[in-house]
Amino acid sequence: MQLKTILNRVEPFKSFVYGKAHWVEGTGRPALEVKLHARKNGRAVCSGCGRPGPGYDRLPQRRFEFVPLWGMAVYFVYALRRVDCPACGVTAEHVPWAVGKSHLTTSYRWFLARWAKHLSWEEVACLFHTSWRNVFESVKHAVFWGVLHQDLGQIKAIGVDEIQWQRGQRYLTLVYQIEDGMKRLLWVAQERTEDSLRRFFQTLSDEARQSIRFVCSDMWQPYLNVIAEQLQHAVHVLDRFHIMKKMNEAIDEVRRSEARRLEEDGYEPILKHSRWCLLKRPENRTEKETVKLLELLQYNLQSVRSHLLREDFQRFWEYTSPGWAVKFLDEWCTRTMRSKIEPMKKVAASLREHRDLILNWFRAKGEVSAGSVEGLNNKAKLTIRKAYGFRTYEAIEIALYHNLGAFPEPEFTHRFW
């Protein structure tokens, strides 16, 4: 079977035919060049407006890199015609295998972009003997195409959160779609300000915004302000994950300060190696951690009292009636405010402030959860780690959309995978 037969099967081009293929020597690795010719009587298409026009002349031959075959580099060679377009003037013709001035064929771009979902961009570049820049441009091309063709017509539930992507408290605002059957990244923006989130809602149509029934977030005030402004009709849920995370952070703060105080006063360091036995749920503790906790429960320590308050609060999630749940919440907050444990008092004050949003957890009846948000956040952090030190926001944004955006892809005659 000839190479032309294979190419005509996997990559046919209307109005163009494959010519002779020949070896290229002296390139350091096996390479093939395949010439392309325009069909006789075929008119060139203007790259500006897409309309056929009369020919003007030809440009020098250009090489377009195609998907490697059997480990060998493959190049298409073609001399572009110039078109005397009545609307655009004299322009280079549009060719179906490449876009603009790129020296990579569209098929090769999608080939590199698919591999970049599984490997780091540097590894993809090394594996296929290309440059990091080529891989980046391929991923960027895939993301731009996906953004233009994605469907944002009906979104039932979204989750809003932030992750740190650089040192110095530099954050990204992330918006996810978190409903059953569709979990994907919808928006990335720098910082965690009101403007970062408001710009997401400005990209949505009125129909898409009205279709959102549930929104899940943490207690970051700029997010709360924008959600209250943009989604007045939706049920805004402060999920249990974020609330319990705040409590665990408070317990850990109490433990650290109390451990330092005991050491300074010359007492036995009984809180040493006690972090996880105080923070873990009973079903997740090891036998050693359980023994350590039983030992700590013999002492009247603020760390122990904070832990018991956290364990008592777990009963809040077992209620089915918002009425009984709010009575328990108010009683727990009162007891915590009287505990004289400052970090836990801050948590109780925050729960009181966001009381109505917390009770939405029951009104949502479990239809939305931050568990999906945290799972997607972990994938986002993995993507950033795989980035191997990307310095620019553009590269991080493109990588996150590419890995988490669930974008569509065009139909191809053959998929090189």
Side-chain angles (χ1 to χ4, degrees):
M1 183 181 293
Q2 294 186 356
L3 178 60
K4 287 200 303 183
T5 305
I6 297 173
L7 291 173
N8 278 317
R9 179 64 180 269
V10 301
E11 197 81 352
F13 299 122
K14 185 179 179 180
S15 302
F16 295 89
V17 295
Y18 290 105
K20 292 183 178 180
H22 64 274
W23 290 102
V24 179
E25 304 294 343
T27 60
R29 58 185 290 240
L32 288 168
E33 282 189 353
V34 182
K35 289 194 174 182
L36 279 146
H37 305 284
R39 291 186 184 275
K40 291 182 179 180
N41 301 322
R43 301 186 74 190
V45 175
C46 173
S47 58
C49 61
R51 290 182 294 186
Y56 186 80
D57 60 6
R58 282 188 178 270
L59 296 169
Q61 283 190 345
R62 286 177 56 187
R63 298 166 84 230
F64 302 87
E65 191 169 0
F66 185 61
V67 179
L69 295 178
W70 307 293
M72 295 179 292
V74 178
Y75 296 92
F76 292 163
V77 180
Y78 180 70
L80 273 71
R81 294 170 289 182
R82 291 206 294 174
V83 185
D84 189 5
C85 178
C88 305
V90 178
T91 63
E93 71 172 312
H94 165 74
V95 291
W97 57 83
V99 177
K101 296 182 178 181
S102 174
H103 65 280
L104 303 180
T105 62
T106 302
S107 293
Y108 191 36
R109 279 181 158 189
W110 282 102
F111 177 82
L112 293 174
R114 292 189 190 106
W115 273 105
K117 286 186 176 181
H118 303 276
L119 302 173
S120 72
W121 296 356
E122 187 67 34
E123 289 172 322
V124 175
C126 292
L127 183 63
F128 296 106
H129 304 280
T130 187
S131 67
W132 183 94
R133 174 59 59 178
N134 283 343
V135 178
F136 169 70
E137 293 296 335
S138 299
V139 174
K140 188 176 179 180
H141 168 80
V143 168
F144 282 11
W145 195 96
V147 169
L148 290 175
H149 294 84
Q150 68 177 338
D151 180 15
L152 296 178
Q154 293 291 326
I155 303 173
K156 179 182 176 183
I158 63 171
V160 181
D161 209 348
E162 78 279 348
I163 61 172
Q164 186 175 352
W165 74 287
Q166 280 187 340
R167 295 179 180 177
Q169 303 297 313
R170 299 191 66 183
Y171 289 90
L172 299 174
T173 291
L174 304 175
V175 181
Y176 303 108
Q177 185 175 358
I178 56 172
E179 60 204 60
D180 289 340
M182 179 55 73
K183 293 179 173 58
R184 59 175 174 171
L185 177 66
L186 298 175
W187 179 253
V188 182
Q190 292 190 76
E191 307 305 333
R192 47 175 182 170
T193 63
E194 290 188 9
D195 182 63
S196 300
L197 182 56
R198 187 175 288 111
R199 284 188 284 116
F200 162 69
F201 292 105
Q202 292 171 351
T203 66
L204 298 179
S205 65
D206 291 338
E207 178 187 359
R209 190 184 297 109
Q210 291 299 319
S211 69
I212 299 174
R213 294 175 51 202
F214 303 100
V215 55
C216 183
S217 77
D218 58 14
M219 290 181 275
W220 183 243
Q221 195 59 47
Y223 293 163
L224 300 182
N225 295 340
V226 175
I227 292 170
E229 167 194 303
Q230 299 287 335
L231 298 176
Q232 298 178 10
H233 62 283
V235 177
H236 184 187
V237 179
L238 294 184
D239 195 78
R240 62 185 295 177
F241 176 88
H242 292 103
I243 295 171
M244 301 314 296
K245 181 181 178 182
K246 289 289 184 184
M247 288 194 185
N248 284 342
E249 290 172 352
I251 292 171
D252 209 33
E253 182 181 346
V254 173
R255 180 193 60 82
R256 290 196 304 269
S257 62
E258 194 168 35
R260 285 195 299 269
R261 188 167 61 252
L262 290 173
E263 183 180 1
E264 291 170 359
D265 294 343
Y267 289 101
E268 180 184 354
I270 56 175
L271 285 173
K272 191 174 182 180
H273 305 305
S274 64
R275 181 186 185 191
W276 296 114
C277 72
L278 292 171
L279 297 182
K280 283 186 179 180
R281 297 285 294 138
E283 60 271 18
N284 297 328
R285 290 191 204 108
T286 64
E287 184 178 349
K288 186 176 180 180
E289 289 166 347
T290 302
V291 172
K292 179 66 175 179
L293 180 61
L294 291 174
E295 177 186 341
L296 291 177
L297 290 174
Q298 300 176 30
Y299 299 91
N300 183 25
L301 297 171
Q302 286 190 350
S303 302
V304 173
R305 288 156 54 201
S306 299
H307 165 79
L308 294 176
L309 284 169
R310 195 277 308 271
E311 289 301 294
D312 184 42
F313 187 83
Q314 293 287 0
R315 292 193 292 144
F316 175 76
W317 309 111
E318 298 173 5
Y319 284 94
T320 56
S321 166
W324 287 106
V326 72
K327 288 183 179 180
F328 174 86
L329 178 62
D330 291 342
E331 187 272 336
W332 185 90
C333 288
T334 300
R335 283 192 291 115
T336 304
M337 295 300 288
R338 293 173 179 171
S339 68
K340 299 181 180 180
I341 306 174
E342 289 303 321
M344 294 300 292
K345 287 172 64 177
K346 289 180 181 178
V347 172
S350 180
L351 296 184
R352 280 179 170 175
E353 182 182 355
H354 302 100
R355 182 169 174 263
D356 291 339
L357 295 180
I358 294 170
L359 292 174
N360 281 342
W361 190 85
F362 299 94
R363 300 185 181 102
K365 297 179 180 178
E367 291 197 42
V368 61
S369 169
S372 299
V373 175
E374 292 306 314
L376 290 165
N377 273 349
N378 288 336
K379 291 182 179 180
K381 293 172 184 175
L382 177 61
T383 300
I384 292 174
R385 285 199 297 271
K386 283 171 61 179
Y388 289 111
F390 288 175
R391 303 283 181 188
T392 65
Y393 166 73
E394 180 191 19
I396 289 295
E397 181 184 23
I398 293 294
L400 289 174
Y401 275 131
H402 183 56
N403 283 276
L404 304 177
F407 289 138
E409 294 184 2
E411 292 291 333
F412 290 100
T413 305
H414 177 79
R415 191 181 178 105
F416 296 91
W417 191 246

